[in-house]
Amino acid sequence: MAKTAGKDRTIVIISIVSIILVVVMGITSVQRERITTIERWTGNVFAPVQNFVMTVTNTIVGEVASIIDIKNIKTENEMLSQRANQLEKEMVVLRLKRDELEELRGLKHALNYLYESADSNPIVANITAKDPGNWFDTFTVNAGTKHGVVKNSIVLDAKGLVGRVYETGDTWAKVVSIIDNNSSVSFQVLRDARSQGILTGSITNEISGYLFDPLFEIVVGDKLITSGLGLYPEGIIIGEVTEVHTSKSKLLKTITIEPAVNFNRLTKVLIVTPNNIHQLQEE
Amino acid sequence: MKNLIIGIVIVGNFIVQSTALHNFSFLGVLPNTTLIIIIAFAIHFGEKKGAVIGAIAGLIQDIIFGRAIGMNALAYMLTGYFTGMMSQKIIKENIVTPILLTAISTILNACINLFFIYFLGFTTEVLLLFRETIIVEMPYNVVLSIPIYIYITKLINSKIMKQEYY
């Protein structure tokens, strides 16, 4: 008799806790302005430990990988020196362009044209931990409000766009990557800025999307950059088109792209905070 | 002492799972060691402790990574509770027990999670996610559950768990 009563009580407690958790879920499912003290402190405790373990792991994995890859190093070396030559040539051309750009920037300043897409001081951060689940692509970095990271800051890698800051703690921040199935990016094709579209992540860790103009001849290998519509500033490399699919019934041209960033090997990121002008526009 | 050890196992696993385990993904899918450990504890300690351990482990994961706090906590709590209930009717010494219960619990956990992922509007590809879970994650979890279950059984039967102080 007593045993059944105890069991009933457990079921009641489980039900009450479940209802509370569902309510909490509903409240927290939207992106919040500020996180609670409990969350902040849990993060503050876990972040340094995770950072340490992650650093150790990355070092070991890097060492092991380099031992396995020792055969490829020679070919890679040749490839890289070729690439260096090529890049040096490109640099000369780009230097000329830069001078031109600086002239134009000076002109812009003289004309009081107020638009700067992002401030020039990116914050460098290490990835401290990645979401262990298979359904979201979220990770944490070891920079937070103390370092000046704010909600919706843009996260980059040397190669391209990584994602955006979702929530921030004191010394840590939650980042949602662009391969997450809940994030979307507006893009434009690098060789023709007029052709734009929207990309969304998916569960299979590839990004797919569609073009606004289905008549535009997009080909495999086309490079895509951010278009400046929405959160991300213009001109950040997203990736390369790997597949083009035209569906006649929907009058849509869907594309699949390979991101420029290798998300599996990502250990360091750059965080760019939206500048004051951007915030003023929002208010 | 017992609770302290359980806490250390849960927190330690969470730290390893979120950092080092990413190098062991198979077909882009990671095993869910948290789930396996919750199941192992639930088999030994019954549904009440299973539910509490699940809720705490889920809350940690939710706070650090979650988009909606409570999703993992709820899923792990219910999984721990039901696993604990089911395990009462099965012999604990048999290695088939954790294998079977891990398989069932992986599906149960996925169902609860995907229900909320769908209704909170995170994604509409729920069926695809469910298929991926069954085809890849479930076998991976089952394979890993064997060593983890053996280790946790050893830990529970060891002297340190029976010390009274703390």
Side-chain angles (χ1 to χ4, degrees):
Chain A
M1 194 65 192
K3 208 180 172 187
T4 5
K7 204 164 196 179
D8 284 348
R9 217 176 59 196
T10 317
I11 291 173
V12 170
I13 292 170
I14 293 273
S15 314
I16 292 169
V17 174
S18 300
I19 292 165
I20 293 170
L21 284 175
V22 171
V23 172
V24 171
M25 221 186 294
I27 295 167
T28 54
S29 66
V30 286
Q31 192 174 10
R32 287 165 296 163
E33 212 43 66
R34 208 168 273 122
I35 59 171
T36 58
T37 320
I38 303 168
E39 285 170 80
R40 229 181 55 219
W41 278 102
T42 317
N44 288 355
V45 170
F46 274 100
V49 185
Q50 285 174 319
N51 192 18
F52 173 73
V53 180
M54 194 67 150
T55 316
V56 173
T57 320
N58 285 339
T59 319
I60 294 168
V61 171
E63 289 297 319
V64 172
S66 68
I67 291 167
I68 295 168
D69 265 9
I70 211 149
K71 276 183 197 162
N72 299 331
I73 283 175
K74 208 183 165 196
T75 43
E76 204 184 317
N77 204 346
E78 271 169 29
M79 240 170 64
L80 284 175
S81 56
Q82 265 179 24
R83 180 125 181 87
N85 285 336
Q86 192 192 337
L87 286 175
E88 247 162 47
K89 276 179 209 154
E90 269 175 35
M91 214 167 74
V92 177
V93 180
L94 287 177
R95 194 167 286 154
L96 291 173
K97 282 193 179 159
R98 194 191 64 187
D99 292 346
E100 198 185 319
L101 184 70
E102 258 161 28
E103 247 171 58
L104 287 171
R105 280 224 178 106
L107 199 64
K108 195 166 91 176
H109 190 70
L111 290 170
N112 275 335
Y113 180 77
L114 282 177
Y115 181 75
E116 285 290 332
S117 60
D119 63 13
S120 52
N121 287 328
I123 302 152
V124 182
N126 282 332
I127 291 180
T128 49
K130 291 173 181 171
D131 188 349
N134 291 315
W135 299 317
F136 293 109
D137 278 289
T138 324
F139 57 86
T140 53
V141 292
N142 67 347
T145 40
K146 267 187 189 165
H147 307 85
V149 177
V150 291
K151 190 184 106 178
N152 284 344
S153 296
I154 294 134
V155 183
L156 304 168
D157 174 48
K159 286 174 187 147
L161 185 63
V162 172
R164 69 190 166 95
V165 172
Y166 188 72
E167 281 164 359
T168 50
D170 290 340
T171 55
W172 57 281
K174 241 183 245 185
V175 176
V176 176
S177 76
I178 53 167
I179 51 173
D180 187 277
N181 56 48
N182 193 33
S183 78
S184 55
V185 189
S186 68
F187 71 89
Q188 65 188 34
V189 182
L190 183 61
R191 67 182 158 88
D192 186 356
R194 284 167 303 171
S195 56
Q196 300 186 335
I198 286 183
L199 293 169
T200 41
S202 78
I203 51 150
T204 47
N205 286 3
E206 60 185 13
I207 309 175
S208 57
Y210 60 88
L211 282 162
F212 292 143
D213 177 16
L215 297 174
F216 180 74
E217 284 298 321
I218 193 163
V219 290
V220 172
D222 262 343
K223 285 213 164 70
L224 302 182
I225 57 171
T226 49
S227 70
L229 291 171
L231 190 71
Y232 302 104
E234 192 180 342
I236 304 167
I237 290 177
I238 306 170
E240 242 179 54
V241 178
T242 52
E243 229 176 277
V244 182
H245 183 75
T246 323
S247 75
K248 289 208 169 90
S249 59
K250 282 183 182 171
L251 285 172
L252 265 183
K253 198 166 253 180
T254 51
I255 52 169
T256 309
I257 77 153
E258 197 196 327
V261 179
N262 184 348
F263 285 93
N264 290 329
R265 289 269 164 270
L266 204 59
T267 54
K268 263 193 167 59
V269 290
L270 293 172
I271 301 171
V272 182
T273 50
N275 70 346
N276 300 331
I277 294 162
H278 215 88
Q279 279 169 353
L280 280 175
Q281 279 172 346
E282 271 183 3
E283 285 161 13
Chain B
M1 198 68 190
K2 199 162 81 176
N3 293 342
L4 186 76
I5 299 275
I6 295 172
I8 291 171
V9 170
I10 292 291
V11 171
N13 165 66
F14 174 69
I15 288 167
V16 172
Q17 197 187 5
S18 60
T19 53
L21 200 74
H22 281 268
N23 300 305
F24 298 97
S25 73
F26 178 68
L27 298 175
V29 173
L30 291 167
N32 195 343
T33 48
T34 306
L35 186 70
I36 301 168
I37 287 173
I38 290 167
I39 291 161
F41 279 133
I43 291 171
H44 284 288
F45 296 131
E47 73 262 18
K48 274 185 207 168
K49 263 224 157 88
V52 173
I53 292 168
I56 292 170
L59 261 184
I60 296 173
Q61 196 173 323
D62 276 335
I63 286 173
I64 304 289
F65 295 109
R67 215 66 64 74
I69 287 163
M71 198 146 74
N72 281 311
L74 182 63
Y76 286 145
M77 184 181 74
L78 294 180
T79 314
Y81 183 73
F82 286 118
T83 316
M85 261 188 3
M86 282 187 279
S87 69
Q88 286 178 343
K89 297 171 180 81
I90 317 175
I91 312 157
K92 282 171 195 155
E93 279 71 31
N94 200 332
I95 199 71
V96 181
T97 313
I99 291 176
L100 195 71
L101 287 177
T102 305
I104 297 169
S105 303
T106 306
I107 297 172
L108 179 69
N109 188 53
C111 285
I112 300 166
N113 260 315
L114 292 176
F115 177 82
F116 288 109
I117 285 177
Y118 184 77
F119 280 102
L120 290 172
F122 286 120
T123 182
T124 47
E125 298 174 290
V126 167
L127 281 178
L128 257 166
L129 283 172
F130 191 63
R131 204 179 62 193
E132 195 190 57
T133 308
I134 288 181
I135 296 174
V136 193
E137 196 192 325
M138 200 175 76
Y140 206 163
N141 280 352
V142 165
V143 169
L144 267 183
S145 74
I146 299 164
I148 290 177
Y149 183 75
I150 292 169
Y151 177 73
I152 283 181
T153 311
K154 251 188 202 162
L155 186 76
I156 286 167
N157 293 330
S158 66
K159 268 186 204 156
I160 199 164
M161 286 298 264
K162 294 191 174 83
Q163 280 171 353
E164 280 300 321
Y165 39 87
Y166 270 98

